[in-house]
Amino acid sequence: VSIVNSSMSTVTFPADATVRFAGLYCGSCNNDLATRANAKLRTPGGTYSAVTASQVDAANGTYQSFLDVTSTVAAAGPGGCSNRATSR
């Protein structure tokens, strides 16, 4: 499996904050229907973990996928940061 696209997002919040929602969204032009829901997610100090989108919408060779990652981001704690890498 090769990484074809990646991005990083840094989230900063106070120690007493509550993460109410965090979503992982991917979109691309990809004709390989079997891989559209696949991604990898990494939290600070962690390694990449394979995740599968709960929703994939596609039209005309493009797609957008979504996965609720609220519990993962909340568990990462204050100053949590997550990376996303789509895989092929």
Side-chain angles (χ1 to χ4, degrees), residues 18-86:
T18 300
V19 176
R20 293 184 184 193
F21 176 79
L24 177 63
Y25 297 84
C26 290
S28 182
C29 297
N30 179 347
N31 291 319
D32 186 353
L33 299 175
T35 63
R36 289 181 175 177
N38 299 340
K40 293 188 177 185
L41 179 67
R42 180 174 64 96
T43 55
T47 58
Y48 281 103
S49 298
V51 295
T52 303
S54 59
Q55 179 175 344
V56 178
D57 296 312
N60 302 319
T62 64
Y63 77 95
Q64 181 172 343
S65 60
F66 164 78
L67 178 64
D68 184 334
V69 293
T70 305
S71 61
T72 303
V73 172
C81 144
S82 63
N83 291 335
R84 178 205 33 95
T86 59

